[in-house]
Amino acid sequence: MNILIDYLSSQLIKMEALENGYDEGIALDYSGNVSEGSGENLFVVSNGKIYSPQSGSSAFTGITRDSVITIVRDLGYEVVEETISRESLYTADELFFSGTAAEITPIASVDKIKIGSGKRGPITEKIQEIFFEMTEGKKLEYNSWLTYVK
């Protein structure tokens, strides 16, 4: 039953975002803090650290999120899992989504407010580069994450 509710919520988030002229929506938890996208996890880059909503914020904790956190830590960045206010999105240096379908997707603006330079930032770019190399089997240190199919 919870899976159906999660999928319905995701669809409603996406529909509302599109209806209001946005490409994607960001869900808030019951307290009004950041939870996730309609089908993605959200990461905030601020002052050289990477922040992600803690699992108690209704954020989906899955394989892709765990993979991103591992890559981020392997790159030498600190990952902080904590409550993230909606307002902190506007002042972030960079934002990105991660998910099975989204992979690593930079976020240029939130509520029509430009994030950082309004383009993919350097930290997101590096994470995205490593992520794609990993999924293509080019990063040997992550090969145990892959299952090859003939």
Side-chain angles (χ1 to χ4, degrees):
M1 180 73 166
N2 283 345
I3 291 175
L4 291 176
I5 292 170
D6 290 342
Y7 282 120
L8 177 59
S9 295
S10 293
Q11 288 304 307
L12 292 172
I13 293 164
K14 183 70 171 190
M15 287 168 50
E16 183 178 342
L18 294 173
E19 196 172 286
N20 288 290
Y22 297 101
D23 295 325
E24 184 57 90
I26 296 174
L28 304 177
D29 67 13
Y30 64 91
S31 299
N33 294 304
V34 174
S35 176
E36 59 192 359
S38 69
E40 315 88 1
N41 290 110
L42 180 91
F43 289 87
V44 177
V45 180
S46 187
N47 297 319
K49 293 182 183 177
I50 315 296
Y51 297 85
S52 182
Q54 58 196 15
S55 59
S57 298
S58 303
F60 178 72
T61 53
I63 294 169
T64 307
R65 180 179 184 272
D66 290 345
S67 299
V68 170
I69 289 172
T70 299
I71 290 169
V72 165
R73 287 183 175 142
D74 288 352
L75 287 170
Y77 294 102
E78 181 181 352
V79 177
V80 181
E81 296 179 71
E82 66 180 18
T83 301
I84 297 175
S85 70
R86 177 182 179 154
E87 296 78 20
S88 67
L89 300 180
Y90 306 134
T91 59
D93 300 323
E94 305 174 36
L95 298 174
F96 65 90
F97 284 126
S98 76
T100 303
E103 298 174 327
I104 306 295
T105 302
I107 302 170
S109 67
V110 174
D111 295 333
K112 299 183 180 160
I113 297 170
K114 182 171 68 171
I115 304 304
S117 67
K119 299 178 180 171
R120 176 180 65 178
I123 294 174
T124 301
E125 180 178 14
K126 187 64 179 168
I127 295 165
Q128 194 176 43
E129 178 184 302
I130 300 286
F131 184 86
F132 289 139
E133 288 176 355
M134 179 271 298
T135 60
E136 294 168 4
K138 295 178 181 175
K139 283 294 209 186
L140 298 180
E141 61 268 38
Y142 302 116
N143 266 1
S144 65
W145 295 359
L146 304 176
T147 300
Y148 292 92
V149 179
K150 290 184 180 189

